Amino acid sequence: MRLRRLPWGRGPRRAGWAGLALALLLPFLAVPAAEQPAYAADGRASGPARSQTRNPARVVAEVPVGDRMLDLGISSPTTDAPVKWVRLLLPKGWSKNASRTWPVLWLLHGGGGNHKDWTANTHVEQLAAGRDVLVVMPETSGCSSYSNWYNGGTWGSPAWETYLLDELRPLLERDYRAGTARAVAGLSMGGLGALKFTAARPGMFRAAASYSGAVHPLYRSPDGGFSGPDAVKLGALTCLVDWKRLWGEPGYPFDTDDPADLRQQWLWKRNSPLEQAASLRGTPLYLSYGDGTTDGGPGWSWGDGDRPPAPSPARCTDPPVHGTQDPVERTVYGMNQELRGRLAQLGIPATVCASQGGHTWPYWERELVASFPMLMRALGA
């Protein structure tokens, strides 16, 4: 039996909210300003990284990990770190010199995670083995929120959206036979990333899946639980940085009683799948989340064979209220309930599985298996 490591760190589960912390990153080495891409007022790269006239990302290491796995060390000033890693699961027949390309599934890690999480905690290698698909699992930071950081209005590094979509993506397409048919999925913070990328870049991804995603950063708990901004602030304590570096301040009704004081709420909304839900129209969507009740476990496991049993549709019980055993998933439940309602209001279809469950890997692997056929259909794999 393999150790199931939680997404926000190694070893036993930490108390509190590191798994839902939407914000923050341990300080990295300073990068000269001349090496950073230019940014528009809303944080989108407007300089070389955005236009692709110059891609500052470069591969500094290739490390084979078995026959079908390759780790790449990437250096880019946009990450504000010396090296960030990306793990590739390679399809049959792949080589850097192949005459063809392969469709791509991006898998995004959660808070505190890295590029090894999916292979360490799930059977994704076996799941993808029979598919004609390249799986890309990038490392960001433990609290990146897959966002370009506001940094008091100066922007600059880290700029995770720019790095992944405008630097790493074209690098893989140029040198590692990644095709232009793409799908994206992620857990917790990665669920936020998967849906916010899909909304921000309509047409870039053919399908998107979120497992226990932190999909509503401006969520207000109606009954005394944590709200979205609370999680950002607690994440800042965990990561030892100023929480305002990520998206600035959310303004009313969170830190002020003045309805006119919205501060940088526009940026919180720009990075919110719920607020940008209209831009998800036309993309096949999969949402799964638990209610915070963990009695009985997921009721599913991979088993001993090479292929898993299909998760039963009966697992999706659609609990009418949240539980209290897992406070992280309790908040995730509220966030996803509101996103689900917004999608319905807009007439945007989505496959939704709301179930009893907590914020842990056994549930996420179950939902990866359940959503995998949808993701592969979208890719034609």
Side-chain angles (χ1 to χ4, degrees):
M1 180 176 179
R2 292 183 298 168
L3 177 65
R4 300 277 177 174
R5 181 163 57 81
L6 297 178
W8 48 74
R10 312 184 194 286
R13 178 174 178 173
R14 296 179 186 170
W17 283 81
L20 188 60
L22 305 177
L24 304 139
L25 173 69
L26 291 170
F28 287 119
L29 300 177
V31 177
E35 294 296 321
Q36 300 176 3
Y39 290 88
D42 66 353
R44 295 180 183 269
S46 58
R50 181 70 176 184
S51 68
Q52 289 304 301
T53 57
R54 173 180 174 267
N55 187 343
R58 59 191 180 92
V59 177
V60 296
E62 290 186 355
V63 181
V65 187
D67 294 336
R68 293 186 50 250
M69 197 183 304
L70 180 65
D71 284 356
L72 305 178
I74 310 294
S75 174
S76 170
T78 310
T79 69
D80 210 13
V83 175
K84 284 294 174 180
W85 292 89
V86 56
R87 173 160 288 185
L88 306 181
L89 286 182
L90 307 173
K92 184 178 180 180
W94 179 92
S95 77
K96 292 176 67 175
N97 300 316
S99 60
R100 58 162 294 187
T101 61
W102 279 265
V104 181
L105 172 62
W106 289 71
L107 289 179
L108 306 182
H109 65 74
N114 60 36
H115 63 294
K116 300 178 181 179
D117 276 13
W118 284 100
T119 53
N121 295 287
T122 75
H123 294 77
V124 66
E125 294 172 70
Q126 294 95 315
L127 193 62
R131 302 285 188 166
D132 199 34
V133 64
L134 176 67
V135 182
V136 174
M137 294 163 284
E139 175 189 26
T140 59
S141 75
C143 302
S144 70
S145 285
Y146 295 92
S147 297
N148 290 353
W149 282 26
Y150 179 63
N151 288 324
T154 63
W155 303 102
S157 300
W160 297 110
E161 181 176 328
T162 295
Y163 166 67
L164 293 176
L165 302 187
D166 298 319
E167 296 178 12
L168 179 60
R169 177 190 58 79
L171 185 155
L172 295 176
E173 291 172 2
R174 185 190 68 201
D175 296 335
Y176 291 89
R177 311 314 295 152
T180 57
R182 314 175 195 91
V184 61
L187 65 91
S188 192
M189 182 181 77
L192 163 72
L195 295 188
K196 90 178 203 69
F197 284 171
T198 301
R201 310 289 181 97
M204 179 171 283
F205 298 99
R206 295 187 179 184
S210 168
Y211 318 122
S212 298
V215 295
H216 184 10
L218 290 169
Y219 171 71
R220 291 188 72 196
S221 173
D223 55 7
F226 280 91
S227 297
D230 294 326
V232 172
K233 295 172 185 178
L234 288 171
L237 294 176
T238 302
C239 298
L240 304 178
V241 294
D242 182 354
W243 64 273
K244 295 185 288 293
R245 285 187 61 197
L246 177 62
W247 298 323
E249 298 179 83
Y252 180 83
F254 298 101
D255 292 314
T256 173
D257 294 326
D258 181 2
D261 184 0
L262 299 181
R263 304 186 193 186
Q264 289 79 47
Q265 193 167 127
W266 60 272
L267 185 55
W268 289 67
K269 290 181 176 181
R270 178 194 177 275
N271 286 282
S272 167
L274 182 138
E275 297 290 344
Q276 304 301 322
S279 295
L280 297 171
R281 188 183 304 277
T283 302
L285 303 173
Y286 187 93
L287 304 179
S288 68
Y289 54 98
D291 66 350
T293 301
T294 56
D295 289 339
W300 176 94
S301 66
W302 181 279
D304 297 326
D306 292 333
R307 309 307 299 175
S312 170
R315 76 192 188 283
C316 306
T317 56
D318 205 6
V321 295
H322 65 70
T324 58
Q325 292 174 317
D326 186 328
V328 176
E329 200 71 5
R330 168 184 173 175
T331 292
V332 164
Y333 172 89
M335 290 182 172
N336 280 271
Q337 287 285 88
E338 293 197 17
L339 175 59
R340 181 178 177 180
R342 178 65 60 84
L343 292 172
Q345 181 183 46
L346 294 170
I348 297 175
T351 299
V352 178
C353 181
S355 66
Q356 177 177 305
H359 207 72
T360 56
W361 278 103
Y363 296 96
W364 300 326
E365 178 172 43
R366 183 189 71 184
E367 296 308 314
L368 172 65
V369 170
S371 61
F372 205 71
M374 182 207 82
L375 297 168
M376 294 301 102
R377 283 194 300 271
L379 293 175

